[in-house]
Amino acid sequence: MSSPAPVRRVASQGPSTTAIFLVLRRMRLPLIVLISLFAISVLGLTLVPGQDIDGQPWRMDLFDAFYFMSYTATTIGFGEIPYPFSTAQRAWVIVTIYLSVVAWAYAIGSVLSLLQDRGFKEALGLQRFERQVRRLREPFVILAGFGQAGEVVARSLDRRDHRVVVLDVEPSRIEALDLAAFNSDVPGLPADASNPHELRRAGLMSRYCSGVIALTNDDEANLAITMSAALMRPDVPVVCRTMEDVLIERIRAFGSPVIIDPFNLFGDELLVALRAPRSYQLTSWLTSNPGDPMPAALTIPQHGRWVVCGYGRFGAHLTADLMRSGIPVTVIDERADPVDGVELIQGDATDPDVLARADLPSAVAFAAATNNDITNLSLLVSARKANSRLFTIARQNDPANTPLFDGLPIDSTLLPTKLIAHEVLARIGDPLMWDFVQNAQQHTDEWAVDLLDRITSRCGDERPDIWTVALTPAGAPALDHHMDHATVGSLLHDPQDRSRVLDVVALVLKRGDVVTMTPADDEPLQAGDQLLLVGMSYDRRALDTTLSVPTAADYVLTGEHVGQSWIWRTLVDR
């Protein structure tokens, strides 16, 4: 994420004191009873007569009475002071002992009841949450909604060392967050993120807040979160999920949020895969999680008729995208209205007679796009029986049904939560990565095949590390004296053996607003440049050494052991 930016000062609520007021209110009467009994006991000891060792009348002073009652009431019991008690004093002490037992039992019972009180637990959780947020001293994003997509986003950001603060209206999800295994502490609060005060508590006004992600299941709540962030922190980027077309324009009215609609997004990606399948394969692989295998390239038929079962939001978007590409579409739906240019078959697609009217043997692709997973699975099986050569697309609504969908030979599956998480990470995980994705989609398949070959030849078929290097005094302090002759290729050499080229490929060179895709090795570098690199983790560490150790940079860029210690020279010579 970007470095913290200065923010305008806004009045803050300050830390919550609810827990303190709850303690004072619930413990007021027990404390009054305990203090009153203690005071009466002390006063009685000063008034009840005793006698000294000579048998003379004697009365205990306030300090001695207070001291005696202090260790007696706490059951320590040092004995009678300073002289043995008289019968009257012992009788008074017996009464005070039993009264103190009752008072302590009442006070301890009140404390235990307070500790089990739900409101008190929530107040303590709120104070702990606010304390964790205030202590954050590195950029973090506020994630509103810890559902299926939110959990994937949180885990992926955590693996990439991005700090996250979570808000979710369901307490059970926050409890699950506490039990999850994250690399760093993730503050979480069960709260309605559409409330601006809760966003403030989550650190929206902090100078370290670098973004807001609205992924709740309520699109109206996502709109409210976007509005609050735009009005309170217009400098903070916002990513907003929506499943309703009518809300898109309302969301865009507040700043420039990134709007993620999984149905629109799937159609756009499908068109990219239709036009340039290898480019789509490249971008989908590089935006996946580290270690994921390279996905197979989709072979989508570019000519022929498609059959779409279900004309809901997904079916409608998919149909519109196909028609814009000039592909004929047949839609099967019970309640759909006629659409210009679309062959409509009204009826239940699960009825074999209705499905037969779609003439599947002459179609090239079939999409099961209803909002019921079991229906979609049965439709896919029926379609495969009618035409085994069909390219198949399935809409999966519930992630729990993944084993069922994996058991069928489906060419492409839309799981909205997974697609949302994938897009969020591509947008906010690294700004340069999003620049790469946007520009890669405009390139040809030949360019993508060449880049894939370069990456796999050096890094294998599992997704390697991807990171950004900023050639600034903070990001590359060792290059200060080499920027006049440094190039992309000269930088990517081993600081222990400069004859070995690092297993690293440069994806993007960004200079100001100018983006250069896959810069050549002889591309000169300038101060302030940013590089998006993909490579193995061990060579990432080697490059970090070159960027941060002046002697390593001297050796890599000039071949000279300038100012190096005998230890470094010995390591290099080996």
Side-chain angles (χ1 to χ4, degrees), residues 129-188:
F129 173 79
E130 291 180 336
R131 187 164 54 250
Q132 288 177 311
V133 173
R134 288 197 304 273
R135 289 176 178 175
L136 288 176
R137 290 296 181 270
E138 54 187 307
F140 64 89
V141 297
I142 299 175
L143 174 60
F146 195 67
Q148 296 160 348
E151 183 176 0
V152 174
V153 169
R155 290 188 180 279
S156 298
L157 290 176
D158 180 68
R159 284 196 296 268
R160 302 178 187 188
D161 297 325
H162 290 309
R163 298 301 301 272
V164 184
V165 175
V166 175
L167 294 176
D168 195 289
V169 73
E170 292 292 337
S172 60
R173 292 177 179 172
I174 300 301
E175 292 173 2
L177 173 66
D178 293 335
L179 298 176
F182 286 95
N183 295 328
S184 58
D185 290 335
V186 178

Side-chain angles (χ1 to χ4, degrees), residues 224-261:
I225 295 167
T226 303
M227 178 183 68
S228 299
L231 296 178
M232 297 166 65
R233 283 292 303 275
D235 59 308
V236 168
V238 180
V239 178
C240 177
R241 188 216 76 164
T242 182
M243 305 285 273
E244 300 181 19
D245 293 336
V246 295
L247 289 180
I248 292 180
E249 291 304 319
R250 294 172 60 189
I251 294 173
R252 285 176 177 163
F254 297 97
S256 301
V258 175
I259 301 174
I260 297 178
D261 180 349

Side-chain angles (χ1 to χ4, degrees), residues 517-562:
M517 299 289 287
T518 57
D521 287 344
D522 59 354
E523 179 72 31
L525 297 174
Q526 297 181 11
D529 286 352
Q530 297 182 71
L531 284 170
L532 179 68
L533 305 171
V534 56
M536 304 304 292
S537 57
Y538 53 81
D539 277 345
R540 177 178 182 176
R541 293 190 293 270
L543 180 59
D544 288 342
T545 300
T546 302
L547 298 177
S548 57
V549 180
T551 52
D554 292 337
Y555 171 69
V556 167
L557 295 172
T558 67
E560 300 177 1
H561 303 292
V562 180

Side-chain angles (χ1 to χ4, degrees), residues 277-280 282 440 443-453:
R278 299 306 295 272
S279 293
Y280 176 73
L282 171 68
H443 283 69
T444 63
D445 262 6
E446 290 74 15
W447 173 87
V449 168
D450 178 66
L451 181 55
L452 277 170
D453 289 343

